[in-house]
mmCIF file with all atom_site columns, all heavy atoms in Angstrom:
data_model
loop_
_atom_site.group_PDB
_atom_site.id
_atom_site.type_symbol
_atom_site.label_atom_id
_atom_site.label_alt_id
_atom_site.label_comp_id
_atom_site.label_asym_id
_atom_site.label_entity_id
_atom_site.label_seq_id
_atom_site.pdbx_PDB_ins_code
_atom_site.Cartn_x
_atom_site.Cartn_y
_atom_site.Cartn_z
_atom_site.occupancy
_atom_site.B_iso_or_equiv
_atom_site.pdbx_formal_charge
_atom_site.auth_seq_id
_atom_site.auth_comp_id
_atom_site.auth_asym_id
_atom_site.auth_atom_id
_atom_site.pdbx_PDB_model_num
ATOM 1  N N   . ALA A 1 449 ? 9.105  -128.066 73.760 1.00 0.00 ? 566 ALA A N   1
ATOM 2  C CA  . ALA A 1 449 ? 8.815  -129.425 73.193 1.00 0.00 ? 566 ALA A CA  1
ATOM 3  C C   . ALA A 1 449 ? 9.061  -130.479 74.313 1.00 0.00 ? 566 ALA A C   1
ATOM 4  O O   . ALA A 1 449 ? 8.305  -131.386 74.550 1.00 0.00 ? 566 ALA A O   1
ATOM 5  C CB  . ALA A 1 449 ? 9.709  -129.728 71.962 1.00 0.00 ? 566 ALA A CB  1
ATOM 6  N N   . VAL A 1 450 ? 10.199 -130.308 75.025 1.00 0.00 ? 567 VAL A N   1
ATOM 7  C CA  . VAL A 1 450 ? 10.557 -131.265 76.099 1.00 0.00 ? 567 VAL A CA  1
ATOM 8  C C   . VAL A 1 450 ? 9.527  -131.146 77.247 1.00 0.00 ? 567 VAL A C   1
ATOM 9  O O   . VAL A 1 450 ? 9.131  -132.175 77.782 1.00 0.00 ? 567 VAL A O   1
ATOM 10 C CB  . VAL A 1 450 ? 11.987 -130.956 76.660 1.00 0.00 ? 567 VAL A CB  1
ATOM 11 C CG1 . VAL A 1 450 ? 12.226 -131.753 77.899 1.00 0.00 ? 567 VAL A CG1 1
ATOM 12 C CG2 . VAL A 1 450 ? 13.014 -131.249 75.570 1.00 0.00 ? 567 VAL A CG2 1
ATOM 13 N N   . ALA A 1 451 ? 9.073  -129.934 77.581 1.00 0.00 ? 568 ALA A N   1
ATOM 14 C CA  . ALA A 1 451 ? 8.076  -129.760 78.669 1.00 0.00 ? 568 ALA A CA  1
ATOM 15 C C   . ALA A 1 451 ? 6.766  -130.412 78.304 1.00 0.00 ? 568 ALA A C   1
ATOM 16 O O   . ALA A 1 451 ? 6.109  -131.048 79.123 1.00 0.00 ? 568 ALA A O   1
ATOM 17 C CB  . ALA A 1 451 ? 7.879  -128.280 78.946 1.00 0.00 ? 568 ALA A CB  1
ATOM 18 N N   . LEU A 1 452 ? 6.347  -130.251 77.014 1.00 0.00 ? 569 LEU A N   1
ATOM 19 C CA  . LEU A 1 452 ? 5.106  -130.862 76.627 1.00 0.00 ? 569 LEU A CA  1
ATOM 20 C C   . LEU A 1 452 ? 5.182  -132.382 76.603 1.00 0.00 ? 569 LEU A C   1
ATOM 21 O O   . LEU A 1 452 ? 4.227  -133.080 77.000 1.00 0.00 ? 569 LEU A O   1
ATOM 22 C CB  . LEU A 1 452 ? 4.747  -130.381 75.202 1.00 0.00 ? 569 LEU A CB  1
ATOM 23 C CG  . LEU A 1 452 ? 4.243  -128.963 75.075 1.00 0.00 ? 569 LEU A CG  1
ATOM 24 C CD1 . LEU A 1 452 ? 4.015  -128.584 73.623 1.00 0.00 ? 569 LEU A CD1 1
ATOM 25 C CD2 . LEU A 1 452 ? 2.904  -128.781 75.849 1.00 0.00 ? 569 LEU A CD2 1
ATOM 26 N N   . SER A 1 453 ? 6.391  -132.897 76.247 1.00 0.00 ? 570 SER A N   1
ATOM 27 C CA  . SER A 1 453 ? 6.515  -134.386 76.242 1.00 0.00 ? 570 SER A CA  1
ATOM 28 C C   . SER A 1 453 ? 6.453  -134.929 77.640 1.00 0.00 ? 570 SER A C   1
ATOM 29 O O   . SER A 1 453 ? 5.843  -135.978 77.886 1.00 0.00 ? 570 SER A O   1
ATOM 30 C CB  . SER A 1 453 ? 7.837  -134.772 75.592 1.00 0.00 ? 570 SER A CB  1
ATOM 31 O OG  . SER A 1 453 ? 8.980  -134.372 76.415 1.00 0.00 ? 570 SER A OG  1
ATOM 32 N N   . LYS A 1 454 ? 6.991  -134.180 78.626 1.00 0.00 ? 571 LYS A N   1
ATOM 33 C CA  . LYS A 1 454 ? 6.893  -134.604 80.045 1.00 0.00 ? 571 LYS A CA  1
ATOM 34 C C   . LYS A 1 454 ? 5.497  -134.515 80.550 1.00 0.00 ? 571 LYS A C   1
ATOM 35 O O   . LYS A 1 454 ? 5.017  -135.430 81.227 1.00 0.00 ? 571 LYS A O   1
ATOM 36 C CB  . LYS A 1 454 ? 7.827  -133.730 80.909 1.00 0.00 ? 571 LYS A CB  1
ATOM 37 C CG  . LYS A 1 454 ? 9.317  -133.977 80.659 1.00 0.00 ? 571 LYS A CG  1
ATOM 38 C CD  . LYS A 1 454 ? 10.176 -133.048 81.528 1.00 0.00 ? 571 LYS A CD  1
ATOM 39 C CE  . LYS A 1 454 ? 11.620 -133.342 81.332 1.00 0.00 ? 571 LYS A CE  1
ATOM 40 N NZ  . LYS A 1 454 ? 12.501 -132.410 82.166 1.00 0.00 ? 571 LYS A NZ  1
ATOM 41 N N   . ALA A 1 455 ? 4.736  -133.467 80.139 1.00 0.00 ? 572 ALA A N   1
ATOM 42 C CA  . ALA A 1 455 ? 3.404  -133.306 80.575 1.00 0.00 ? 572 ALA A CA  1
ATOM 43 C C   . ALA A 1 455 ? 2.480  -134.429 80.094 1.00 0.00 ? 572 ALA A C   1
ATOM 44 O O   . ALA A 1 455 ? 1.568  -134.833 80.749 1.00 0.00 ? 572 ALA A O   1
ATOM 45 C CB  . ALA A 1 455 ? 2.866  -131.943 80.141 1.00 0.00 ? 572 ALA A CB  1
ATOM 46 N N   . PHE A 1 456 ? 2.764  -134.890 78.850 1.00 0.00 ? 573 PHE A N   1
ATOM 47 C CA  . PHE A 1 456 ? 1.920  -135.932 78.280 1.00 0.00 ? 573 PHE A CA  1
ATOM 48 C C   . PHE A 1 456 ? 2.500  -137.309 78.508 1.00 0.00 ? 573 PHE A C   1
ATOM 49 O O   . PHE A 1 456 ? 1.903  -138.308 78.045 1.00 0.00 ? 573 PHE A O   1
ATOM 50 C CB  . PHE A 1 456 ? 1.739  -135.674 76.773 1.00 0.00 ? 573 PHE A CB  1
ATOM 51 C CG  . PHE A 1 456 ? 0.805  -134.528 76.438 1.00 0.00 ? 573 PHE A CG  1
ATOM 52 C CD1 . PHE A 1 456 ? 1.296  -133.368 76.026 1.00 0.00 ? 573 PHE A CD1 1
ATOM 53 C CD2 . PHE A 1 456 ? -0.544 -134.693 76.693 1.00 0.00 ? 573 PHE A CD2 1
ATOM 54 C CE1 . PHE A 1 456 ? 0.404  -132.290 75.739 1.00 0.00 ? 573 PHE A CE1 1
ATOM 55 C CE2 . PHE A 1 456 ? -1.407 -133.667 76.402 1.00 0.00 ? 573 PHE A CE2 1
ATOM 56 C CZ  . PHE A 1 456 ? -0.947 -132.436 75.943 1.00 0.00 ? 573 PHE A CZ  1
ATOM 57 N N   . GLY A 1 457 ? 3.675  -137.433 79.122 1.00 0.00 ? 574 GLY A N   1
ATOM 58 C CA  . GLY A 1 457 ? 4.257  -138.717 79.448 1.00 0.00 ? 574 GLY A CA  1
ATOM 59 C C   . GLY A 1 457 ? 4.642  -139.480 78.184 1.00 0.00 ? 574 GLY A C   1
ATOM 60 O O   . GLY A 1 457 ? 4.476  -140.703 78.122 1.00 0.00 ? 574 GLY A O   1
ATOM 61 N N   . CYS A 1 458 ? 5.202  -138.796 77.213 1.00 0.00 ? 575 CYS A N   1
ATOM 62 C CA  . CYS A 1 458 ? 5.589  -139.408 75.993 1.00 0.00 ? 575 CYS A CA  1
ATOM 63 C C   . CYS A 1 458 ? 6.859  -138.754 75.451 1.00 0.00 ? 575 CYS A C   1
ATOM 64 O O   . CYS A 1 458 ? 7.350  -137.779 76.038 1.00 0.00 ? 575 CYS A O   1
ATOM 65 C CB  . CYS A 1 458 ? 4.482  -139.358 74.915 1.00 0.00 ? 575 CYS A CB  1
ATOM 66 S SG  . CYS A 1 458 ? 4.145  -137.621 74.382 1.00 0.00 ? 575 CYS A SG  1
#
Side-chain angles (χ1 to χ4, degrees):
V567 171
L569 287 175
S570 71
K571 290 180 179 178
F573 287 106
C575 65

